[in-house]
Amino acid sequence: MNLGSKNNSIAAREPADKPSEKRALLFIFAALLLVMLLASLSQTVLSTALPTIVGALDGADHIMWVITAYLLASTIMMPILGRLSDQLGRKPVLLASVFVFTAGSLLGAVAWDMPVLIISRVIQGIGGGGLMVLSQAAIADVVPVRDRGKYMGYLAGAFAFSSVVGPLLGGWFTEGPGWRWAFWMNIPLGII
């Protein structure tokens, strides 16, 4: 169950029958589920908060770049980080992706104008691409073949959950503590 090794194909073929292996698998899966939720929430929370953000930073002409910057960066980085994790192992590349994503969230939380916010979304996208692709690749590495569908379904459930909860959180942050909390919330999740 070592997520850090370069080739875990043997571990993925053998069923996890021992209680300690099942516990380790559940711990790894919970961490990967949190990582997937982190990546998917960052996209959906901003959908509701974006008009307020644009008004606060006076950047109506750059509104589309806030979303596009993240999607473009994450799409470009997915195959690159996937290949890099094949060479270096999933764990170090996944941890680096979490760090980059969290750093982008910190920059977004303190953004003083639209160009800084867009740069923070690019940084988040670089990390977010790794979060999405590596959580799925890690599941394929550590989960037995017969159980992968079930675990991948749970990861898909994280996206469904974020598509419902994300806009609600974005609206609550906008009306309550402020739109910057759409970024601040990622920092404790990234640390966990």
Side-chain angles (χ1 to χ4, degrees):
M1 295 289 172
N2 185 3
L3 186 59
S5 68
K6 292 181 184 176
N7 188 355
N8 289 328
S9 60
I10 295 172
R13 284 189 227 129
E14 298 172 2
D17 291 330
K18 297 178 186 172
S20 62
E21 288 182 9
K22 286 184 179 182
R23 212 171 314 123
L25 177 62
L26 287 176
F27 179 73
I28 291 170
F29 180 70
L32 294 173
L33 192 62
L34 184 63
V35 162
M36 182 64 83
L37 188 64
L38 182 65
S40 59
L41 269 178
S42 72
Q43 297 175 31
T44 58
V45 167
L46 285 182
S47 63
T48 317
L50 197 55
T52 304
I53 294 170
V54 168
L57 298 179
D58 193 33
D61 50 341
H62 299 349
I63 189 171
M64 292 309 297
W65 279 106
V66 175
I67 301 297
T68 305
Y70 181 89
L71 292 174
L72 189 60
S74 65
T75 302
I76 290 170
M77 292 308 293
M78 279 184 195
I80 294 169
L81 292 172
R83 178 68 177 148
L84 193 61
S85 75
D86 288 341
Q87 295 172 343
L88 302 175
R90 305 271 187 249
K91 187 176 182 179
V93 179
L94 183 62
L95 290 175
S97 296
V98 170
F99 177 77
V100 170
F101 182 86
T102 306
S105 297
L106 180 61
L107 183 61
V110 298
W112 53 90
D113 61 7
M114 285 300 280
V116 173
L117 182 65
I118 292 168
I119 290 168
S120 76
R121 292 295 286 165
V122 169
I123 295 169
Q124 269 189 316
I126 290 169
L131 299 181
M132 287 185 265
V133 76
L134 296 177
S135 59
Q136 295 175 30
I139 290 293
D141 286 344
V142 298
V143 173
V145 175
R146 66 181 175 168
D147 295 332
R148 279 190 200 151
K150 177 174 66 172
Y151 285 89
M152 290 296 188
Y154 292 139
L155 285 181
F159 270 108
F161 178 77
S162 70
S163 68
V164 172
V165 172
L168 294 172
L169 272 175
W172 183 75
F173 286 143
T174 303
E175 293 296 319
W179 64 267
R180 293 184 188 276
W181 279 94
F183 294 98
W184 285 120
M185 75 166 192
N186 294 331
I187 295 170
L189 291 175
I191 290 171
I192 291 171

